[in-house]
């Protein structure tokens, strides 16, 4: 059987048409008459109709929008963002953007080739560069180089862009059955200083001391009260401060074991606080009256005055119950001129100076509420409040009113450290009263915690066992978890929408350019299937390099079998050239009228119910003519 390709060459060069075989040079089919009609022998090429909507493109568009919806939900939904966390969010969003990039590369390249065929010079090199997505191919116009570069760099730009939106967070509420609370230090200190409490006082007070410290010429402004500091210090007002009971170390360690880097949980609970308040304008003259019964100015034992010298001829004095079972719920502290030291009574010559500058403090256990932020390696108080009234005297106040804490033996150096600067340099500081109150509250809280504490409770100093109910107790709490997530931003939303936007534009313009005779199968196979053999000399010598000296035009013409033959015959009669430069008569008008394209294309690609089924002829030319797509005459 004669090869149809050989028959086409004979037709092109003027060979007489065979009466026995009808050749179709534009599809690989040879039809031979038979007794019962015409039967077809179909070769390897599979004809295909160009549809309004390519199914795979439609699926790609739907997949692209599904990926967009999922990525937006992942970023915007607080619970889902918390569940995944920042790293997993990046992984999922990156995967979805990659899928969207596949969708782009499914839709856009064929659209670009349609644009080149319809509006460009229809250069073979341009088609080749688009098909291979090669911005460095030879003889490619600048527009296509930039377009291809944009498509190649788009995934990298999106990948870099969406990773810039860190520093976000998502918070969810977690169920908690409650935890143990009480007078305790943070984890790690429960085995340090649990006999005296000095380390607990330093740990609790130091963040406040640092935040309120001046530099000699500048005093930080007072905060808005109540203001938390450190592990459990809460400044309630200018004249009162509290050291709050806290979650037990075991509960804190259990929470910390579940936290990753940058994760945080907040624990809010009603607790009891050790509150120290001062009355700056009390009647100091009552301090010298040992027979006074004024309840506003209660007096400790006369032999319970503790003094310690400082520099520059000043001393610090603490007057509160010292030994034996007594009422330690009030105290007097003074920085005065003198060089006293040790534990003395009120007959000491420094006592008058002590009373002149003394500040009065009442220490009570009060109902409070605290919120702690717990990370994998820290715990800090971030909010809190306390009621205005103390808890009932019995049993809440027994830890202070029915015991003696020997504060003068252990805490005098700490008073010098924290209060010494207010003796001279900062005597007019607005932080004077808050610092005194915070120091006293922390001193009392740390001493009781050191003596017994949450997990080492003992009934020291003849105290009643009822103390235990105030030192440790079970509390209902509210726990929230905060994890780092992607930061919600309109710019991030724009980055996520970009691939879907590009796919949508490509899909719509493919529909608008439906009349351009380029389908999804356009490529090397399609061109070879419909290539006019007489025009291949234009590309001789580039079979290995793929590089041509000058641009070569690829002419595209949809036609029926008869039209293809007539087109080739007409061209040979007109030019006599081996390299064809013209297709069917009449160039496609340069107008943006989809209806016009549709009418002309439809008349040319359908006849007697037969679609355009691959009836495309490709002709290589020298690139000097201006028309790219040729349409045949209308069928009557």
């Amino acid at each position: 059987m004669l090869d149809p390709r050989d028959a086409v060459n004979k037709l092109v060069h003027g060979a007489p048409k065979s009466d026995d075989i009808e050749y179709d040079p534009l599809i690989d089919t040879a039809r031979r008459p038979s007794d019962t009609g015409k039967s077809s022998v179909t070769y390897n090429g599979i004809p295909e109709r160009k549809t309004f909507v390519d199914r795979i493109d439609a699926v790609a568009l739907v997949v692209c929008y599904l990926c967009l919806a999922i990525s937006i939900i992942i970023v915007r939904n607080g619970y889902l963002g918390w569940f995944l966390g920042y790293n997993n969010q990046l992984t999922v969003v990156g995967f979805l953007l990659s899928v969207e990039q596949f969708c782009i590369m499914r839709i856009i390249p064929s659209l670009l080739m349609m644009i080149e065929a319809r509006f460009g010079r229809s250069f073979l090199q341009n088609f080749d560069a688009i098909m291979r997505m090669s911005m460095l191919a030879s003889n490619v116009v600048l527009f296509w180089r930039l377009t291809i570069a944009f498509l190649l760099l788009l995934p990298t730009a999106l990948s870099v862009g969406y990773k810039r939106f860190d520093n976000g967070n998502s918070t969810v509420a977690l169920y908690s059955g409650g935890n143990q609370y009480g007078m305790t230090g943070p984890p790690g200190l429960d085995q340090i200083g649990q006999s005296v409490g000095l380390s607990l006082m330093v740990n609790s007070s130091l963040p406040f001391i640092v935040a309120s410290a001046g530099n000699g010429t500048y005093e930080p402004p007072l905060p808005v009260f109540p203001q938390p500091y450190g592990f459990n210090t809460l400044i309630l007002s200018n004249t009162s401060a509290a050291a709050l009971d806290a979650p037990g170390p075991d509960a804190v360690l259990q929470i910390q074991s579940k936290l990753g880097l940058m994760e945080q949980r907040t624990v809010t609970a009603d607790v009891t606080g050790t509150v120290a308040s001062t009355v700056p304008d009390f009647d100091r003259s009552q301090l010298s009256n040992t027979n006074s019964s004024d309840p506003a100015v209660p007096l400790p034992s006369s032999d319970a005055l503790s003094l310690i010298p400082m520099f520059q001829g000043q001393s610090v004095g603490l007057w509160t119950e010292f030994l034996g079972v007594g009422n330690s719920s009030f105290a007097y502290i003074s920085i005065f001129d003198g060089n006293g030291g040790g534990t003395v009574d009120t007959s000491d010559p420094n006592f008058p100076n002590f009373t002149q500058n003394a500040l009065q403090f009442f220490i009570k256990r009060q109902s409070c509420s605290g919120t702690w932020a717990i990370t994998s390696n820290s715990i800090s108080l971030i909010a809190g409040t306390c009621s205005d009234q103390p808890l009932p005297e019995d049993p809440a106040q027994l830890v202070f009113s029915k015991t003696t804490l020997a504060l003068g033996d252990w805490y005098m150096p700490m008073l010098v450290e924290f209060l010494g600067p207010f003796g001279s340099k900062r005597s007019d500081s607005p932080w004077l009263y808050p610092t005194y109150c915070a120091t006293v509250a922390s001193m009392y809280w740390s001493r009781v915690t050191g003596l017994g504490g949450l997990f080492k409770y003992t009934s020291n100093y003849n105290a009643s066992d009822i103390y235990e109910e105030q030192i440790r107790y079970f509390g209902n709490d509210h726990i929230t978890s905060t994890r780092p997530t992607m930061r919600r931003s309109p710019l991030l939303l724009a980055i996520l929408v970009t691939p879907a936007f590009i796919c949508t534009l490509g899909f719509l313009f493919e529909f608008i350019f439906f009349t351009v005779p380029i389908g999804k199968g356009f490529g090397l196979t399609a061109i070879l299937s419909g290539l006019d053999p007489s025009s291949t000399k234009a590309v001789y010598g580039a079979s290995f390099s793929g590089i041509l000296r000058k641009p070569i035009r690829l002419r595209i013409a949809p036609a029926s079998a008869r039209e293809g033959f007539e087109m080739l015959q007409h061209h040979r009669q007109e030019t006599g050239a081996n390299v064809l430069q013209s297709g069917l008569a009449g160039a496609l008008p340069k107008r943006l009228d989809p209806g016009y394209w549709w009418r002309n294309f439809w008349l040319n690609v359908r006849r007697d119910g037969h679609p355009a089924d691959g009836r495309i002829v490709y002709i290589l030319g020298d690139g000097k003519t201006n028309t790219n797509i040729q349409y045949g005459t209308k069928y009557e």
Side-chain angles (χ1 to χ4, degrees), residues 2-40:
L2 182 64
D3 191 330
R5 296 290 184 185
D6 296 335
V8 171
N9 286 329
K10 292 180 179 180
L11 288 173
V12 171
H13 294 90
K17 182 177 179 181
S18 172
D19 294 331
D20 297 329
I21 300 177
E22 179 185 12
Y23 296 103
D24 188 340
L26 304 178
I27 58 173
D28 294 335
T29 302
R31 298 184 178 92
R32 186 181 301 274
S34 65
D35 297 338
T36 58
K38 290 187 177 181
S39 62
S40 297

Side-chain angles (χ1 to χ4, degrees), residues 534-554:
S534 65
S535 67
T536 58
K537 292 182 180 180
V539 293
Y540 280 179
S543 59
F544 176 75
S545 67
I547 302 175
L548 300 173
R549 299 180 184 276
K550 59 183 179 179
I552 297 297
R553 186 181 300 278
L554 180 67

Side-chain angles (χ1 to χ4, degrees), residues 347-395:
S347 63
D348 188 89
N350 290 301
F351 185 70
N353 292 338
F354 172 88
T355 59
Q356 289 178 4
N357 297 328
L359 293 179
Q360 182 188 54
F361 298 92
F362 291 97
I363 302 91
K364 301 292 184 183
R365 296 280 282 171
Q366 296 180 196
S367 295
C368 300
S369 175
T371 299
W372 285 265
I374 302 175
T375 67
S376 59
N377 57 8
S378 69
I379 176 173
S380 58
L381 182 68
I382 60 174
T385 58
C386 288
S387 65
D388 295 333
Q389 299 298 321
L391 293 172
E393 179 68 23
D394 188 9

Side-chain angles (χ1 to χ4, degrees), residues 188-204:
L189 292 182
D190 51 335
Q191 299 299 323
I192 300 176
Q194 288 294 293
S195 295
V196 177
L198 294 178
S199 60
L200 296 173
M201 179 181 180
V202 173
N203 178 271
S204 174

Side-chain angles (χ1 to χ4, degrees), residues 59-115:
V59 172
L61 185 64
V62 172
V63 169
C64 191
Y65 271 95
L66 286 176
C67 292
L68 172 62
I70 295 173
S71 61
I72 291 177
I73 292 173
I74 288 174
V75 172
R76 299 291 299 178
N77 185 272
Y79 178 79
L80 190 57
W82 174 88
F83 178 79
L84 292 174
Y86 178 71
N87 290 334
N88 289 332
Q89 274 186 310
L90 290 182
T91 301
V92 175
V93 172
F95 170 76
L96 295 174
L97 287 176
S98 298
V99 174
E100 292 179 77
Q101 181 63 24
F102 287 132
C103 297
I104 290 177
M105 299 311 294
R106 164 65 194 181
I107 296 174
I108 296 300
S110 59
L111 171 64
L112 300 184
M113 288 186 283
M114 291 181 191
I115 294 174

Side-chain angles (χ1 to χ4, degrees), residues 551-563:
I552 297 297
R553 186 181 300 278
L554 180 67
R555 308 296 304 283
I556 305 171
S560 67
R562 187 178 65 184
E563 285 176 317

Side-chain angles (χ1 to χ4, degrees), residues 1 18 96 143 172 228 245 285 330 345 348 464 518 574 602:
M1 185 177 63
S18 172
L96 295 174
F143 173 78
V172 299
D245 293 355
S285 64
F330 59 91
D345 57 28
D348 188 89
S464 170
I518 288 181
E574 288 278 326
W602 188 250

